[in-house]
Structures are given as structure tokens and as C-alpha cells.
Short mmCIF file of all heavy atoms in Angstrom, two decimals:
data_model
loop_
_atom_site.label_atom_id
_atom_site.label_comp_id
_atom_site.label_asym_id
_atom_site.label_seq_id
_atom_site.Cartn_x
_atom_site.Cartn_y
_atom_site.Cartn_z
N MET A 1 -7.34 -25.48 8.50
CA MET A 1 -7.14 -25.31 7.08
C MET A 1 -6.82 -23.84 6.79
O MET A 1 -7.55 -22.95 7.21
CB MET A 1 -8.40 -25.72 6.33
CG MET A 1 -8.25 -25.60 4.84
SD MET A 1 -9.63 -26.39 4.00
CE MET A 1 -10.54 -24.97 3.50
N GLN A 2 -5.72 -23.60 6.08
CA GLN A 2 -5.31 -22.23 5.75
C GLN A 2 -6.13 -21.73 4.57
O GLN A 2 -6.28 -22.40 3.57
CB GLN A 2 -3.83 -22.19 5.41
CG GLN A 2 -3.36 -20.79 5.05
CD GLN A 2 -1.88 -20.76 4.77
OE1 GLN A 2 -1.11 -21.52 5.35
NE2 GLN A 2 -1.46 -19.90 3.88
N GLN A 3 -6.64 -20.51 4.72
CA GLN A 3 -7.40 -19.89 3.65
C GLN A 3 -6.50 -18.93 2.90
O GLN A 3 -5.79 -18.13 3.50
CB GLN A 3 -8.59 -19.13 4.23
CG GLN A 3 -9.49 -18.52 3.21
CD GLN A 3 -10.66 -17.80 3.85
OE1 GLN A 3 -10.68 -17.58 5.05
NE2 GLN A 3 -11.62 -17.43 3.05
N ASN A 4 -6.50 -19.02 1.57
CA ASN A 4 -5.72 -18.09 0.75
C ASN A 4 -6.58 -16.88 0.43
O ASN A 4 -7.72 -17.01 -0.02
CB ASN A 4 -5.25 -18.75 -0.54
CG ASN A 4 -4.25 -19.85 -0.26
OD1 ASN A 4 -3.42 -19.71 0.63
ND2 ASN A 4 -4.32 -20.92 -1.00
N ILE A 5 -6.03 -15.70 0.69
CA ILE A 5 -6.73 -14.44 0.45
C ILE A 5 -5.88 -13.62 -0.52
O ILE A 5 -4.70 -13.39 -0.27
CB ILE A 5 -6.93 -13.66 1.75
CG1 ILE A 5 -7.70 -14.49 2.77
CG2 ILE A 5 -7.63 -12.33 1.49
CD1 ILE A 5 -7.69 -13.92 4.16
N HIS A 6 -6.49 -13.18 -1.63
CA HIS A 6 -5.79 -12.35 -2.60
C HIS A 6 -6.50 -11.01 -2.68
O HIS A 6 -7.67 -10.94 -3.01
CB HIS A 6 -5.77 -13.02 -3.97
CG HIS A 6 -4.85 -12.34 -4.93
ND1 HIS A 6 -4.62 -12.82 -6.18
CD2 HIS A 6 -4.09 -11.22 -4.83
CE1 HIS A 6 -3.77 -12.03 -6.81
NE2 HIS A 6 -3.45 -11.04 -6.00
N VAL A 7 -5.76 -9.94 -2.34
CA VAL A 7 -6.30 -8.59 -2.36
C VAL A 7 -5.63 -7.83 -3.50
O VAL A 7 -4.41 -7.86 -3.64
CB VAL A 7 -6.02 -7.86 -1.02
CG1 VAL A 7 -6.48 -6.42 -1.07
CG2 VAL A 7 -6.68 -8.60 0.13
N ALA A 8 -6.44 -7.15 -4.31
CA ALA A 8 -5.93 -6.30 -5.39
C ALA A 8 -6.10 -4.85 -4.97
O ALA A 8 -7.20 -4.42 -4.60
CB ALA A 8 -6.67 -6.57 -6.68
N ILE A 9 -5.01 -4.10 -5.01
CA ILE A 9 -5.04 -2.67 -4.71
C ILE A 9 -4.85 -1.93 -6.02
O ILE A 9 -3.85 -2.16 -6.72
CB ILE A 9 -3.96 -2.28 -3.69
CG1 ILE A 9 -4.21 -3.00 -2.36
CG2 ILE A 9 -3.92 -0.76 -3.50
CD1 ILE A 9 -3.12 -2.78 -1.32
N ILE A 10 -5.79 -1.07 -6.36
CA ILE A 10 -5.72 -0.30 -7.60
C ILE A 10 -5.11 1.06 -7.27
O ILE A 10 -5.70 1.87 -6.57
CB ILE A 10 -7.12 -0.11 -8.24
CG1 ILE A 10 -7.86 -1.43 -8.34
CG2 ILE A 10 -7.00 0.59 -9.58
CD1 ILE A 10 -7.17 -2.50 -9.14
N GLY A 11 -3.91 1.29 -7.77
CA GLY A 11 -3.21 2.55 -7.55
C GLY A 11 -2.10 2.42 -6.51
O GLY A 11 -2.33 1.92 -5.41
N GLY A 12 -0.91 2.85 -6.89
CA GLY A 12 0.25 2.78 -6.00
C GLY A 12 0.64 4.11 -5.41
O GLY A 12 1.80 4.35 -5.10
N GLY A 13 -0.35 4.99 -5.24
CA GLY A 13 -0.11 6.29 -4.61
C GLY A 13 -0.21 6.16 -3.10
O GLY A 13 -0.18 5.05 -2.54
N PRO A 14 -0.33 7.28 -2.41
CA PRO A 14 -0.36 7.27 -0.95
C PRO A 14 -1.43 6.35 -0.35
O PRO A 14 -1.15 5.61 0.58
CB PRO A 14 -0.63 8.73 -0.58
CG PRO A 14 -0.12 9.51 -1.74
CD PRO A 14 -0.36 8.65 -2.94
N SER A 15 -2.64 6.39 -0.89
CA SER A 15 -3.72 5.56 -0.33
C SER A 15 -3.46 4.08 -0.54
O SER A 15 -3.68 3.26 0.35
CB SER A 15 -5.07 5.93 -0.95
OG SER A 15 -5.40 7.25 -0.63
N GLY A 16 -2.99 3.72 -1.74
CA GLY A 16 -2.71 2.32 -2.04
C GLY A 16 -1.59 1.77 -1.17
O GLY A 16 -1.67 0.66 -0.65
N LEU A 17 -0.54 2.57 -0.99
CA LEU A 17 0.59 2.12 -0.16
C LEU A 17 0.20 2.06 1.31
O LEU A 17 0.66 1.18 2.04
CB LEU A 17 1.80 3.03 -0.37
CG LEU A 17 2.39 2.99 -1.78
CD1 LEU A 17 3.56 3.96 -1.88
CD2 LEU A 17 2.81 1.59 -2.16
N PHE A 18 -0.65 2.98 1.75
CA PHE A 18 -1.15 2.95 3.12
C PHE A 18 -1.91 1.64 3.36
O PHE A 18 -1.71 0.96 4.37
CB PHE A 18 -2.07 4.15 3.36
CG PHE A 18 -2.75 4.14 4.70
CD1 PHE A 18 -2.10 4.61 5.82
CD2 PHE A 18 -4.04 3.65 4.83
CE1 PHE A 18 -2.73 4.60 7.06
CE2 PHE A 18 -4.68 3.64 6.06
CZ PHE A 18 -4.01 4.11 7.17
N MET A 19 -2.80 1.28 2.43
CA MET A 19 -3.57 0.05 2.57
C MET A 19 -2.65 -1.18 2.55
O MET A 19 -2.82 -2.10 3.34
CB MET A 19 -4.61 -0.06 1.46
CG MET A 19 -5.49 -1.28 1.57
SD MET A 19 -6.33 -1.47 3.16
CE MET A 19 -7.39 -0.04 3.14
N TYR A 20 -1.67 -1.18 1.66
CA TYR A 20 -0.71 -2.29 1.59
C TYR A 20 0.00 -2.45 2.94
O TYR A 20 0.09 -3.55 3.48
CB TYR A 20 0.31 -2.03 0.48
CG TYR A 20 1.44 -3.03 0.47
CD1 TYR A 20 1.25 -4.30 -0.08
CD2 TYR A 20 2.68 -2.73 1.03
CE1 TYR A 20 2.28 -5.24 -0.08
CE2 TYR A 20 3.70 -3.66 1.03
CZ TYR A 20 3.49 -4.90 0.48
OH TYR A 20 4.51 -5.83 0.49
N LYS A 21 0.49 -1.35 3.47
CA LYS A 21 1.21 -1.40 4.75
C LYS A 21 0.33 -1.96 5.86
O LYS A 21 0.76 -2.80 6.64
CB LYS A 21 1.71 0.00 5.11
CG LYS A 21 2.50 0.04 6.39
CD LYS A 21 2.99 1.44 6.69
CE LYS A 21 3.74 1.47 8.01
NZ LYS A 21 4.08 2.82 8.42
N ARG A 22 -0.91 -1.48 5.92
CA ARG A 22 -1.83 -1.95 6.97
C ARG A 22 -2.15 -3.44 6.81
O ARG A 22 -2.21 -4.17 7.81
CB ARG A 22 -3.12 -1.13 6.95
CG ARG A 22 -2.93 0.29 7.40
CD ARG A 22 -2.48 0.33 8.86
NE ARG A 22 -2.41 1.70 9.33
CZ ARG A 22 -1.30 2.27 9.75
NH1 ARG A 22 -0.16 1.62 9.76
NH2 ARG A 22 -1.32 3.51 10.16
N LEU A 23 -2.33 -3.90 5.61
CA LEU A 23 -2.61 -5.32 5.39
C LEU A 23 -1.42 -6.19 5.81
O LEU A 23 -1.58 -7.21 6.47
CB LEU A 23 -2.95 -5.58 3.92
CG LEU A 23 -4.32 -5.10 3.46
CD1 LEU A 23 -4.40 -5.15 1.94
CD2 LEU A 23 -5.41 -5.95 4.08
N ILE A 24 -0.22 -5.79 5.42
CA ILE A 24 0.98 -6.55 5.75
C ILE A 24 1.23 -6.57 7.26
O ILE A 24 1.63 -7.58 7.83
CB ILE A 24 2.20 -5.99 4.99
CG1 ILE A 24 2.01 -6.14 3.48
CG2 ILE A 24 3.50 -6.65 5.45
CD1 ILE A 24 1.75 -7.56 3.01
N GLU A 25 0.96 -5.45 7.92
CA GLU A 25 1.16 -5.38 9.37
C GLU A 25 0.27 -6.35 10.14
O GLU A 25 0.61 -6.78 11.23
CB GLU A 25 0.88 -3.96 9.88
CG GLU A 25 1.95 -2.97 9.52
CD GLU A 25 1.61 -1.55 9.94
OE1 GLU A 25 0.43 -1.25 10.22
OE2 GLU A 25 2.55 -0.74 9.96
N ARG A 26 -0.85 -6.73 9.55
CA ARG A 26 -1.77 -7.66 10.22
C ARG A 26 -1.26 -9.09 10.20
O ARG A 26 -1.77 -9.94 10.92
CB ARG A 26 -3.15 -7.58 9.57
CG ARG A 26 -3.72 -6.17 9.79
CD ARG A 26 -5.15 -6.08 9.56
NE ARG A 26 -5.85 -6.83 10.58
CZ ARG A 26 -7.15 -7.00 10.59
NH1 ARG A 26 -7.88 -6.49 9.64
NH2 ARG A 26 -7.74 -7.68 11.54
N ASN A 27 -0.25 -9.37 9.36
CA ASN A 27 0.39 -10.68 9.30
C ASN A 27 -0.63 -11.81 9.13
O ASN A 27 -0.65 -12.78 9.90
CB ASN A 27 1.24 -10.90 10.56
CG ASN A 27 2.26 -11.99 10.36
OD1 ASN A 27 2.66 -12.27 9.24
ND2 ASN A 27 2.67 -12.63 11.44
N ILE A 28 -1.47 -11.69 8.13
CA ILE A 28 -2.53 -12.66 7.86
C ILE A 28 -1.95 -13.83 7.06
O ILE A 28 -1.37 -13.63 5.99
CB ILE A 28 -3.68 -12.00 7.07
CG1 ILE A 28 -4.26 -10.84 7.88
CG2 ILE A 28 -4.75 -13.02 6.71
CD1 ILE A 28 -5.20 -9.95 7.11
N ALA A 29 -2.10 -15.02 7.58
CA ALA A 29 -1.60 -16.21 6.89
C ALA A 29 -2.34 -16.38 5.56
O ALA A 29 -3.55 -16.23 5.49
CB ALA A 29 -1.79 -17.45 7.75
N GLY A 30 -1.61 -16.69 4.51
CA GLY A 30 -2.20 -16.94 3.21
C GLY A 30 -2.56 -15.69 2.43
O GLY A 30 -3.21 -15.75 1.40
N LEU A 31 -2.13 -14.51 2.92
CA LEU A 31 -2.46 -13.25 2.27
C LEU A 31 -1.52 -12.97 1.11
O LEU A 31 -0.30 -13.06 1.24
CB LEU A 31 -2.38 -12.08 3.26
CG LEU A 31 -2.62 -10.69 2.68
CD1 LEU A 31 -4.07 -10.55 2.19
CD2 LEU A 31 -2.29 -9.62 3.71
N LYS A 32 -2.08 -12.63 -0.03
CA LYS A 32 -1.31 -12.20 -1.20
C LYS A 32 -1.89 -10.85 -1.62
O LYS A 32 -3.10 -10.71 -1.76
CB LYS A 32 -1.43 -13.20 -2.34
CG LYS A 32 -0.69 -12.78 -3.58
CD LYS A 32 -0.83 -13.80 -4.69
CE LYS A 32 -0.12 -13.32 -5.94
NZ LYS A 32 -0.31 -14.26 -7.05
N VAL A 33 -1.01 -9.86 -1.79
CA VAL A 33 -1.44 -8.52 -2.17
C VAL A 33 -0.79 -8.15 -3.50
O VAL A 33 0.42 -8.27 -3.65
CB VAL A 33 -1.06 -7.47 -1.10
CG1 VAL A 33 -1.51 -6.09 -1.53
CG2 VAL A 33 -1.64 -7.84 0.25
N SER A 34 -1.61 -7.71 -4.44
CA SER A 34 -1.12 -7.22 -5.72
C SER A 34 -1.49 -5.75 -5.85
O SER A 34 -2.63 -5.37 -5.58
CB SER A 34 -1.75 -7.99 -6.89
OG SER A 34 -1.38 -9.35 -6.85
N ILE A 35 -0.50 -4.93 -6.25
CA ILE A 35 -0.75 -3.51 -6.47
C ILE A 35 -0.68 -3.26 -7.97
O ILE A 35 0.30 -3.61 -8.62
CB ILE A 35 0.28 -2.63 -5.74
CG1 ILE A 35 0.23 -2.88 -4.23
CG2 ILE A 35 0.04 -1.16 -6.04
CD1 ILE A 35 1.29 -2.14 -3.44
N PHE A 36 -1.72 -2.65 -8.50
CA PHE A 36 -1.78 -2.31 -9.92
C PHE A 36 -1.61 -0.80 -10.07
O PHE A 36 -2.42 -0.03 -9.58
CB PHE A 36 -3.11 -2.76 -10.53
CG PHE A 36 -3.27 -4.26 -10.51
CD1 PHE A 36 -3.87 -4.90 -9.44
CD2 PHE A 36 -2.77 -5.03 -11.56
CE1 PHE A 36 -4.01 -6.27 -9.41
CE2 PHE A 36 -2.91 -6.41 -11.54
CZ PHE A 36 -3.52 -7.03 -10.46
N GLU A 37 -0.53 -0.41 -10.73
CA GLU A 37 -0.20 1.01 -10.91
C GLU A 37 0.17 1.24 -12.37
O GLU A 37 0.93 0.46 -12.94
CB GLU A 37 0.97 1.38 -9.99
CG GLU A 37 1.57 2.74 -10.23
CD GLU A 37 0.58 3.87 -10.08
OE1 GLU A 37 -0.11 3.96 -9.05
OE2 GLU A 37 0.49 4.69 -11.02
N SER A 38 -0.34 2.31 -12.96
CA SER A 38 -0.08 2.59 -14.37
C SER A 38 1.29 3.23 -14.59
O SER A 38 1.83 3.17 -15.69
CB SER A 38 -1.17 3.50 -14.95
OG SER A 38 -1.18 4.75 -14.27
N ARG A 39 1.85 3.81 -13.56
CA ARG A 39 3.17 4.44 -13.70
C ARG A 39 4.28 3.42 -13.48
O ARG A 39 4.03 2.33 -12.98
CB ARG A 39 3.31 5.59 -12.71
CG ARG A 39 2.28 6.66 -12.94
CD ARG A 39 2.44 7.77 -11.96
NE ARG A 39 1.33 8.71 -12.11
CZ ARG A 39 1.26 9.85 -11.46
NH1 ARG A 39 2.21 10.20 -10.63
NH2 ARG A 39 0.24 10.64 -11.63
N LYS A 40 5.49 3.80 -13.79
CA LYS A 40 6.63 2.89 -13.68
C LYS A 40 7.05 2.64 -12.24
O LYS A 40 7.71 1.66 -11.94
CB LYS A 40 7.83 3.44 -14.45
CG LYS A 40 7.64 3.46 -15.95
CD LYS A 40 8.86 4.01 -16.63
CE LYS A 40 8.65 4.09 -18.13
NZ LYS A 40 9.85 4.61 -18.81
N GLN A 41 6.70 3.54 -11.33
CA GLN A 41 7.19 3.45 -9.96
C GLN A 41 6.05 3.70 -8.99
O GLN A 41 5.18 4.54 -9.23
CB GLN A 41 8.28 4.51 -9.75
CG GLN A 41 9.01 4.39 -8.46
CD GLN A 41 10.18 5.37 -8.40
OE1 GLN A 41 10.40 6.15 -9.31
NE2 GLN A 41 10.91 5.34 -7.33
N LEU A 42 6.08 3.00 -7.87
CA LEU A 42 5.08 3.20 -6.82
C LEU A 42 5.44 4.40 -5.96
O LEU A 42 6.61 4.72 -5.80
CB LEU A 42 5.00 1.96 -5.92
CG LEU A 42 4.56 0.66 -6.56
CD1 LEU A 42 4.65 -0.48 -5.56
CD2 LEU A 42 3.15 0.78 -7.12
N GLY A 43 4.43 5.04 -5.39
CA GLY A 43 4.64 6.08 -4.40
C GLY A 43 5.11 7.41 -4.93
O GLY A 43 5.61 8.23 -4.16
N GLN A 44 4.96 7.66 -6.20
CA GLN A 44 5.46 8.91 -6.76
C GLN A 44 4.75 10.14 -6.21
O GLN A 44 5.30 11.22 -6.21
CB GLN A 44 5.34 8.90 -8.28
CG GLN A 44 6.30 7.93 -8.92
CD GLN A 44 6.21 7.96 -10.43
OE1 GLN A 44 5.22 8.39 -11.00
NE2 GLN A 44 7.26 7.52 -11.08
N GLU A 45 3.56 9.98 -5.70
CA GLU A 45 2.81 11.12 -5.19
C GLU A 45 2.92 11.26 -3.67
O GLU A 45 2.29 12.14 -3.09
CB GLU A 45 1.36 11.01 -5.60
CG GLU A 45 1.17 11.08 -7.10
CD GLU A 45 -0.27 10.95 -7.52
OE1 GLU A 45 -1.15 11.10 -6.66
OE2 GLU A 45 -0.52 10.68 -8.69
N CYS A 46 3.71 10.44 -3.01
CA CYS A 46 3.80 10.50 -1.54
C CYS A 46 4.33 11.83 -1.05
O CYS A 46 3.81 12.40 -0.11
CB CYS A 46 4.68 9.38 -1.01
SG CYS A 46 3.84 7.80 -0.96
N LEU A 47 5.36 12.35 -1.68
CA LEU A 47 5.94 13.61 -1.21
C LEU A 47 4.98 14.77 -1.42
O LEU A 47 4.89 15.67 -0.60
CB LEU A 47 7.28 13.87 -1.91
CG LEU A 47 8.38 12.90 -1.52
CD1 LEU A 47 9.65 13.18 -2.33
CD2 LEU A 47 8.69 12.98 -0.04
N THR A 48 4.22 14.74 -2.49
CA THR A 48 3.21 15.77 -2.73
C THR A 48 2.13 15.70 -1.66
O THR A 48 1.67 16.71 -1.15
CB THR A 48 2.57 15.58 -4.13
OG1 THR A 48 3.60 15.62 -5.10
CG2 THR A 48 1.55 16.66 -4.41
N ALA A 49 1.73 14.50 -1.30
CA ALA A 49 0.67 14.32 -0.31
C ALA A 49 1.08 14.84 1.06
O ALA A 49 0.25 15.33 1.81
CB ALA A 49 0.28 12.85 -0.21
N THR A 50 2.37 14.75 1.39
CA THR A 50 2.81 15.18 2.73
C THR A 50 2.68 16.67 2.91
O THR A 50 2.59 17.15 4.02
CB THR A 50 4.25 14.75 3.02
OG1 THR A 50 5.11 15.34 2.05
CG2 THR A 50 4.38 13.26 3.03
N LYS A 51 2.67 17.42 1.82
CA LYS A 51 2.50 18.86 1.94
C LYS A 51 1.09 19.20 2.42
O LYS A 51 0.87 20.22 3.02
CB LYS A 51 2.78 19.53 0.60
CG LYS A 51 4.23 19.40 0.16
CD LYS A 51 4.46 20.00 -1.20
CE LYS A 51 5.89 19.76 -1.64
NZ LYS A 51 6.13 20.22 -3.02
N CYS A 52 0.14 18.32 2.14
CA CYS A 52 -1.25 18.56 2.51
C CYS A 52 -1.63 17.85 3.81
O CYS A 52 -2.53 18.29 4.51
CB CYS A 52 -2.18 18.06 1.41
SG CYS A 52 -1.90 18.88 -0.17
N HIS A 53 -0.97 16.74 4.12
CA HIS A 53 -1.37 15.92 5.26
C HIS A 53 -0.17 15.69 6.18
O HIS A 53 0.74 14.97 5.83
CB HIS A 53 -1.91 14.56 4.79
CG HIS A 53 -3.03 14.70 3.81
ND1 HIS A 53 -4.27 15.13 4.18
CD2 HIS A 53 -3.08 14.49 2.49
CE1 HIS A 53 -5.06 15.16 3.12
NE2 HIS A 53 -4.36 14.78 2.08
N THR A 54 -0.18 16.32 7.31
CA THR A 54 0.92 16.17 8.26
C THR A 54 1.07 14.70 8.66
O THR A 54 0.10 14.05 9.01
CB THR A 54 0.66 17.00 9.53
OG1 THR A 54 0.44 18.34 9.14
CG2 THR A 54 1.82 16.91 10.49
N GLY A 55 2.29 14.19 8.57
CA GLY A 55 2.55 12.81 8.97
C GLY A 55 2.30 11.78 7.90
O GLY A 55 2.53 10.60 8.11
N ALA A 56 1.82 12.17 6.73
CA ALA A 56 1.51 11.21 5.68
C ALA A 56 2.77 10.50 5.20
O ALA A 56 2.71 9.34 4.78
CB ALA A 56 0.81 11.89 4.50
N LEU A 57 3.91 11.17 5.26
CA LEU A 57 5.15 10.55 4.80
C LEU A 57 5.47 9.29 5.59
O LEU A 57 6.03 8.34 5.06
CB LEU A 57 6.30 11.54 4.88
CG LEU A 57 7.64 11.08 4.30
CD1 LEU A 57 7.48 10.75 2.81
CD2 LEU A 57 8.69 12.15 4.47
N ASP A 58 5.10 9.26 6.86
CA ASP A 58 5.34 8.08 7.69
C ASP A 58 4.62 6.86 7.14
O ASP A 58 5.00 5.73 7.42
CB ASP A 58 4.88 8.33 9.13
CG ASP A 58 5.73 9.39 9.81
OD1 ASP A 58 6.87 9.61 9.38
OD2 ASP A 58 5.22 9.99 10.77
N GLU A 59 3.54 7.06 6.41
CA GLU A 59 2.75 5.96 5.88
C GLU A 59 3.28 5.46 4.54
O GLU A 59 2.87 4.45 4.06
CB GLU A 59 1.29 6.38 5.71
CG GLU A 59 0.65 6.75 7.02
CD GLU A 59 0.69 5.63 8.05
OE1 GLU A 59 0.78 4.45 7.67
OE2 GLU A 59 0.61 5.93 9.25
N CYS A 60 4.18 6.20 3.91
CA CYS A 60 4.72 5.79 2.62
C CYS A 60 5.75 4.68 2.83
O CYS A 60 6.55 4.73 3.75
CB CYS A 60 5.36 6.96 1.89
SG CYS A 60 4.14 8.15 1.33
N ILE A 61 5.68 3.69 2.00
CA ILE A 61 6.55 2.52 2.13
C ILE A 61 8.02 2.91 2.02
O ILE A 61 8.87 2.39 2.72
CB ILE A 61 6.21 1.47 1.05
CG1 ILE A 61 4.75 1.06 1.18
CG2 ILE A 61 7.13 0.27 1.11
CD1 ILE A 61 4.37 0.45 2.51
N GLY A 62 8.36 3.84 1.15
CA GLY A 62 9.74 4.20 0.90
C GLY A 62 10.38 5.08 1.96
O GLY A 62 11.55 5.36 1.88
N SER A 63 9.66 5.50 2.96
CA SER A 63 10.27 6.40 3.95
C SER A 63 10.67 5.66 5.20
O SER A 63 10.29 4.57 5.47
CB SER A 63 9.29 7.50 4.31
OG SER A 63 8.13 6.99 4.91
#
């Protein structure tokens, strides 16, 4: 029996997109992920984060 799993991610910044990427990479059957972001676009802070964290850009969905 397939189990449906719904995960809500609050915030579409670097941490939220990192978590989304990791969840999707696990290829879990029945997984649904919703990202809730107050801004119009996801990942707007990814480029800022890379200045502080080497390699963080690799974790951003848009790169």
C-alpha cells in the first residue's frame, strides 16, 4: 500500500530549496512537497548566501 506524504516547507530561500532538493533526490513514492514563500520568486537570497558559504550555489535549484 502506497503511503501519501505531504511536506510543507516554509520559506523559499537557500535552506528551503536545499531541503526541497534533498527530499526530491530521495525519490519517495507518494511524496508531495509544497513551498510557502511570501515573495514573488523562490531563491532570491541564494546568490547572497553564496558569498558567505562556499559551494552553497550548487544547492540552489536555479543553478
Side-chain angles (χ1 to χ4, degrees):
M1 182 169 104
Q2 180 177 328
Q3 183 179 12
N4 293 323
I5 302 168
H6 191 176
V7 175
I9 298 175
I10 310 301
S15 296
L17 295 179
F18 174 84
M19 182 55 64
Y20 173 79
K21 182 179 178 187
R22 291 296 185 242
L23 287 168
I24 296 304
E25 286 176 344
R26 296 197 67 185
N27 199 25
I28 300 169
L31 176 66
K32 178 180 177 183
V33 179
S34 297
I35 300 175
F36 295 91
E37 170 59 52
S38 62
R39 299 180 187 186
K40 292 180 182 180
Q41 189 174 2
L42 297 175
Q44 290 182 339
E45 296 179 16
C46 282
L47 292 176
T48 303
T50 60
K51 294 177 184 175
C52 300
H53 305 289
T54 304
L57 186 59
D58 294 337
E59 298 302 336
C60 290
I61 302 300
S63 62

